[in-house]
Amino acid sequence: MSADADSAVAEAASQLPQQGICFVLVFVPETLDPDAVASGLGKHLPQTLAFGCSTGGQITPDGYADNALLLVAFPREHFRCSSMLMAPLKPLSIEDTAIAAKTLAHRFQTTAGWRRFAITIADGLSKQEDTLIAALEAGLGEIPVFGGSAGNGLSFDVTHVLHGGQFHQNAALLIIVETDLLFQGVEFDHFAPTDRQLVVTEARPEDRIVSEINGAVAAEEYARLIGYEVADLSPRVFAENPVLVRNLDNWHVRAIQEVLDDGALTFLSAIENGLVLTLGQGQDIIATMDSALDVAGPRGEVPHFVLGFDCVLRRLEIEQKQLGTEASAVLRNRRVLGFNTYGEQHGGVHVNQTFVGIAFFSSGHRIDL
């Protein structure tokens, strides 16, 4: 890929159909300036609706990539869409967001025999995704929502969301998509709970900061429980030693982002006082990925493709274990396209270190999510 944004857009756009596109999803590497990409899209795809974000990495037809500008086209023959931008995202009103989403769905005329799902992409540093997905689920009712938080490599400094020909900060987009294709949700991680628990005894939920765990300084207690020194804590250690939260019969990862100077821990998902966390233990990440992506339509057909939102911390663990080639082979064989996120949304919940996706089939039989 060219290091020049305009050339990169021109190269990617040249590989798309010349007509018949409903919209494209645009996933931008940290090596390209988002505003320059937006300018290139306006120049090389002036009549095409484009949505997307900056990313923690891309999932291309060849597997994982860091410096690829990825454009995924959705043909008008099989897709229709309606969208809105939510900005500023912080502060976010659950009631107003739910009403706006419901209104958008109401005004989007239905097509007989077609089915709907929604995609949301949010500023990955807004700390609003938990509230956002709850509001969208409330407003959209039976329309399933899938999404990912925008990223920027492993910088965790600034992220961007593309809507209306521009990239925005402190924003989120919602796309309601209607299709005559069958689709099936895919969600998985590779962790099982252990018997070691951590109770949040002091936190600032609005900032996702935990100061105390089990009555002790958060970083010190977490490090003690996993057998590390505080000085050795890093994104790699956090990725391999996650904490889980139980929701009914399901376990969700609440990823740790970093250690602050005072020993507090910042998280990438909602945290509150009194929350009981459980240390997770990793399973075989490649085998889990391959098995979970082994989905089929009602006639046994493989997906046309899978749109994937895959946590950047999963990618980090894969790279630390030098399993990138194997992981890319799985993604390539399972026809996955998408990006590495700062968090994932599905089923009304914002999670981390999880793969969330939508598998599309051309069969004429319906699949319930």
Side-chain angles (χ1 to χ4, degrees):
M1 184 195 76
S2 172
D4 173 71
D6 185 77
S7 298
V9 174
E11 179 183 344
S14 69
Q15 301 176 46
L16 299 181
Q18 295 301 304
Q19 56 186 1
I21 297 175
C22 176
F23 68 95
V24 297
L25 291 180
V26 181
F27 301 126
V28 182
E30 62 176 330
T31 52
L32 294 181
D33 175 64
D35 291 335
V37 171
S39 177
L41 290 169
K43 176 181 178 182
H44 299 290
L45 293 171
Q47 305 300 321
T48 303
L49 279 175
F51 312 105
C53 62
S54 57
T55 71
Q58 307 80 49
I59 307 174
T60 75
D62 294 323
Y64 282 137
D66 288 316
N67 301 314
L69 176 65
L70 178 64
L71 273 58
V72 183
F74 290 73
R76 190 176 299 118
E77 179 183 0
H78 296 293
F79 295 93
R80 297 176 60 246
C81 73
S82 184
S83 72
M84 71 177 186
L85 181 74
M86 294 162 280
L89 185 57
K90 185 177 183 178
L92 184 146
S93 165
I94 291 181
E95 182 178 3
D96 291 347
T97 303
I99 291 173
K102 185 175 182 179
T103 300
L104 182 69
H106 219 38
R107 292 177 176 173
F108 184 25
Q109 187 173 355
T110 60
T111 303
W114 289 37
R115 295 161 296 279
R116 293 185 170 192
F117 64 91
I119 297 172
T120 183
I121 300 177
D123 183 328
L125 300 174
S126 65
K127 302 179 181 180
Q128 297 296 298
E129 300 102 310
D130 307 274
T131 306
L132 173 65
I133 188 63
L136 294 180
E137 286 282 329
L140 295 176
E142 295 183 357
I143 299 175
V145 184
F146 306 86
S149 302
N152 188 34
L154 287 173
S155 301
F156 294 101
D157 51 3
V158 61
T159 71
H160 299 83
V161 173
L162 172 64
H163 187 274
Q166 299 179 36
F167 279 91
H168 308 264
Q169 298 177 35
N170 189 25
L173 65 88
L174 171 67
I175 316 167
I176 299 177
V177 183
E178 194 171 67
T179 181
D180 66 344
L181 300 181
L182 292 173
F183 56 87
Q184 177 179 347
V186 181
E187 181 178 355
F188 63 90
D189 60 46
H190 61 289
F191 298 105
T194 67
D195 59 0
R196 290 172 290 174
Q197 292 189 329
L198 308 82
V199 179
V200 176
T201 48
E202 185 174 330
R204 299 206 306 272
E206 66 277 10
D207 296 317
R208 295 180 179 169
I209 293 176
V210 174
S211 303
E212 286 187 4
I213 292 173
N214 298 340
V217 176
E220 295 177 2
E221 179 67 357
Y222 170 76
R224 182 187 70 81
L225 287 169
I226 64 173
Y228 279 78
E229 298 294 328
V230 172
D232 296 327
L233 297 181
S234 67
R236 177 188 65 81
V237 175
F238 298 144
E240 295 180 357
N241 299 273
V243 292
L244 314 178
V245 173
R246 187 169 186 172
N247 181 13
L248 300 177
D249 293 330
N250 299 314
W251 293 89
H252 301 294
V253 180
R254 292 285 188 267
I256 300 171
Q257 178 181 349
E258 63 179 343
V259 180
L260 300 181
D261 292 340
D262 61 358
L265 297 173
T266 62
F267 281 72
L268 291 169
S269 288
I271 290 295
E272 59 187 29
N273 286 297
L275 184 65
V276 178
L277 304 170
T278 299
L279 282 176
Q281 183 175 36
Q283 312 297 302
D284 187 316
I285 193 168
I286 301 300
T288 301
M289 177 190 292
D290 192 40
S291 175
L293 288 171
D294 185 17
V295 295
R299 297 174 181 171
E301 69 273 34
V302 298
H304 179 64
F305 81 101
V306 179
L307 178 63
F309 308 96
D310 191 20
C311 186
V312 70
L313 296 179
R314 283 174 41 82
R315 169 96 180 263
L316 179 61
E317 180 181 346
I318 285 169
E319 291 177 344
Q320 291 290 340
K321 293 180 176 178
Q322 299 183 346
L323 295 172
T325 300
E326 291 86 344
S328 286
V330 171
L331 295 168
R332 182 170 61 249
N333 293 337
R334 299 304 187 186
R335 305 184 181 188
V336 180
L337 300 171
F339 77 101
N340 294 117
T341 72
Y342 280 5
E344 306 76 54
Q345 296 87 44
H346 183 223
V349 181
H350 171 65
V351 295
N352 304 118
Q353 283 178 264
T354 300
F355 180 102
V356 166
I358 316 168
F360 296 94
F361 305 90
S362 58
S363 172
H365 297 282
R366 178 167 184 169
I367 296 177
D368 293 323
L369 294 176

